[in-house]
Amino acid sequence: NFPHYIQNNIKEKFDNYLLKKFIKIEDKFDKYLINILYNLFPKLYLEDFNSNYQNILNYFSNFKSAKYIINESFLDDDFASFCISLINHKYKIKHIYIEHNYLSHPFIGNRIKNICNVVDKMFTLGWESKYYKKALKGSSLYEFNSSLKVKKKYPILYISHMVQNINFSLRNVMCGDNGLKYYFKMKDFFLKIPNNVLKRIYHKPYPENKLDGTNIKIEDVLHSSRFNLLKKLENNLEALYLIPFAKLCLIDHLSTTFIMALKSNTPTICLWHKSLQPLKKEFRNHLDILKKNNIVFDDIYKASNFIVKIHKNPDKWWSKKQTQNARLKFINQNIEKEDFMINKIISIN
């Protein structure tokens, strides 16, 4: 754990005179930029720097003998990144990064090699590849599947994504224009589903508190009498604990939730928007076994037809030997058991 962030109620201003030495003023925008720049600078590195700097050092002074700090959030948590950098500089504590709960390595634009170069050790969720030699096989410490044994109450549980209203994000490939394309694909998907099936779908929206910035909700794009036939669940409900209640899971993007559903052994259909999330040529066969067994679809029309076909009794398809073999083979190739990482940590020098 990291110490709590200390937020000060002060506002430091830059010395505008000094700024003028570094910014050449050629027009009104340059003047405007100098006047507002102090509002754009992260508070962690200005107003809140001194108090957090000292607080972090005091907190970790109790752990000076530690050799490593284990973390998986530094990529999208500025404060965690700041803490890790500071204690590495001051106390020489090294950083072990455990891959966040998503399989990004097969896709174009992933950051695996960059991450390996900025951490001391990186451990994957369970995969290993000659194309990423610095990424060591590990496992997540996160519990991907719930042990709950419950009565099924959702005929079809639809778990959706949420789009950030920005043009580009390293955290989220489906943002801005790509995000709208994803929503329109889902709109076409639901147009192919008959009303009697739509009425059996319970929609679990993406938690709004897990994305930064302005978000565009799927309801804002898919607003129609047909989409309104879906029964909406609270977006703050945890997908991990909803999945066991589903007879069939419909997941509209490759995500952590997809791993949860596979691990839970709940009948699952996942949509892969391959034009938005293309595979690297070295991993072009990554999803083949799941596609062959109708677990992953890159064609929304085939997916909608298959759901209509099996929605009344998804277990008949899911329990087939070839379907279960495909599920287990994919998991064994990519997701290692939690104990594997614990043993790795214990054995690290």
Side-chain angles (χ1 to χ4, degrees):
N1 292 331
F2 297 114
H4 292 297
Y5 183 92
I6 297 175
Q7 186 167 335
N8 297 304
N9 295 319
I10 60 171
K11 185 175 282 188
E12 283 294 337
K13 287 195 176 184
F14 287 116
D15 186 325
N16 286 358
Y17 175 76
L18 289 174
L19 279 174
K20 290 175 184 177
K21 291 184 176 182
F22 300 99
I23 299 177
K24 187 178 180 181
I25 299 176
E26 296 181 337
D27 53 32
K28 291 182 179 180
F29 178 79
D30 295 331
K31 292 180 181 178
Y32 170 74
L33 179 63
I34 286 177
N35 288 328
I36 68 161
L37 195 57
Y38 70 88
N39 283 320
L40 303 179
F41 203 80
K43 289 189 70 178
L44 174 58
Y45 297 99
L46 193 63
E47 294 98 334
D48 299 340
F49 180 83
N50 288 331
S51 53
N52 281 289
Y53 177 90
Q54 197 56 53
N55 188 42
I56 293 165
L57 291 184
N58 291 341
Y59 180 85
F60 281 100
S61 64
N62 299 314
F63 308 103
K64 286 182 181 179
S65 61
K67 293 183 178 180
Y68 295 98
I69 187 165
I70 299 168
N71 174 265
E72 66 166 49
S73 69
F74 87 104
L75 289 174
D76 45 45
D77 184 336
D78 291 340
F79 186 59
S81 182
F82 180 73
C83 290
I84 290 166
S85 298
L86 179 57
I87 61 176
N88 176 266
H89 176 69
K90 286 291 184 178
Y91 301 137
K92 308 303 179 187
I93 299 175
K94 294 182 178 180
H95 177 202
I96 292 176
Y97 170 66
I98 298 178
E99 185 177 23
H100 192 56
N101 305 321
Y102 167 62
L103 296 169
S104 68
H105 67 282
F107 299 102
I108 291 174
N110 76 73
R111 294 183 285 166
I112 300 297
K113 288 184 178 179
N114 303 79
I115 294 168
C116 287
N117 289 331
V118 297
V119 301
D120 294 292
K121 290 181 185 290
M122 174 185 167
F123 287 96
T124 72
L125 295 182
W127 57 268
E128 54 188 339
S129 169
K130 64 181 180 181
Y131 300 106
Y132 302 106
K133 292 180 179 179
K134 290 185 178 180
L136 308 173
K137 181 177 180 177
S139 70
S140 178
L141 298 176
Y142 177 78
E143 185 181 21
F144 277 118
N145 58 301
S146 171
S147 58
L148 290 173
K149 301 296 181 183
V150 296
K151 185 178 179 180
K152 306 292 184 180
K153 63 178 181 179
Y154 304 126
I156 304 173
L157 176 64
Y158 166 46
I159 303 175
S160 67
H161 188 46
M162 186 183 288
V163 169
Q164 286 181 277
N165 189 21
I166 53 178
N167 288 327
F168 176 74
S169 168
L170 286 171
R171 292 177 58 190
N172 177 11
V173 295
M174 291 192 291
C175 60
D177 289 343
N178 272 355
L180 291 176
K181 289 175 184 176
Y182 145 69
Y183 278 164
F184 290 135
K185 283 175 179 287
M186 292 312 301
K187 188 173 185 178
D188 289 341
F189 172 81
F190 284 111
L191 285 172
K192 296 292 181 181
I193 304 288
N195 286 358
N196 67 306
V197 180
L198 289 176
K199 291 177 181 178
R200 292 168 56 82
I201 298 176
Y202 287 74
H203 175 211
K204 160 65 175 71
Y206 194 87
E208 293 182 46
N209 61 353
K210 290 192 177 180
L211 283 177
D212 299 324
T214 305
N215 303 317
I216 305 171
K217 299 178 182 178
I218 193 167
E219 301 97 305
D220 298 334
V221 179
L222 273 63
H223 55 83
S224 69
S225 58
R226 289 179 56 75
F227 190 69
N228 290 336
L229 291 173
L230 277 63
K231 298 173 180 66
K232 185 177 177 182
L233 300 170
E234 293 293 326
N235 66 16
N236 61 348
L237 295 173
E238 288 287 338
L240 178 66
Y241 300 108
L242 287 178
I243 289 170
F245 288 95
K247 291 183 178 179
L248 173 64
C249 273
L250 168 61
I251 299 170
D252 67 5
H253 66 299
L254 293 166
S255 60
T256 303
T257 310
F258 177 53
I259 298 174
M260 290 177 185
L262 279 186
K263 288 275 287 181
S264 72
N265 201 14
T266 299
T268 298
I269 290 172
C270 185
L271 304 182
W272 169 38
H273 309 281
K274 67 177 180 180
S275 62
L276 308 180
Q277 200 176 14
L279 289 167
K280 295 168 69 72
K281 64 180 182 180
E282 300 91 342
F283 297 94
R284 57 185 174 272
N285 300 322
H286 175 67
L287 297 168
D288 282 1
I289 194 168
L290 299 181
K291 287 173 58 183
K292 183 179 179 181
N293 288 278
N294 298 313
I295 298 172
V296 168
F297 286 85
D298 59 19
D299 185 317
I300 59 172
Y301 303 114
K302 289 182 179 179
S304 60
N305 289 336
F306 188 72
I307 286 175
V308 172
K309 177 182 175 182
I310 60 98
H311 74 96
K312 289 183 178 180
N313 185 13
D315 283 326
K316 183 178 178 181
W317 148 71
W318 192 253
S319 61
K320 287 182 178 178
K321 184 176 180 180
Q322 60 265 38
T323 308
Q324 283 298 306
N325 286 346
R327 181 186 76 88
L328 291 171
K329 184 174 182 179
F330 185 83
I331 289 173
N332 291 337
Q333 288 176 343
N334 293 282
I335 311 294
E336 189 53 86
K337 293 179 176 66
E338 292 82 358
D339 289 349
F340 185 85
M341 192 66 234
I342 294 172
N343 292 330
K344 281 280 186 182
I345 293 169
I346 293 171
S347 64
I348 290 173
N349 296 321

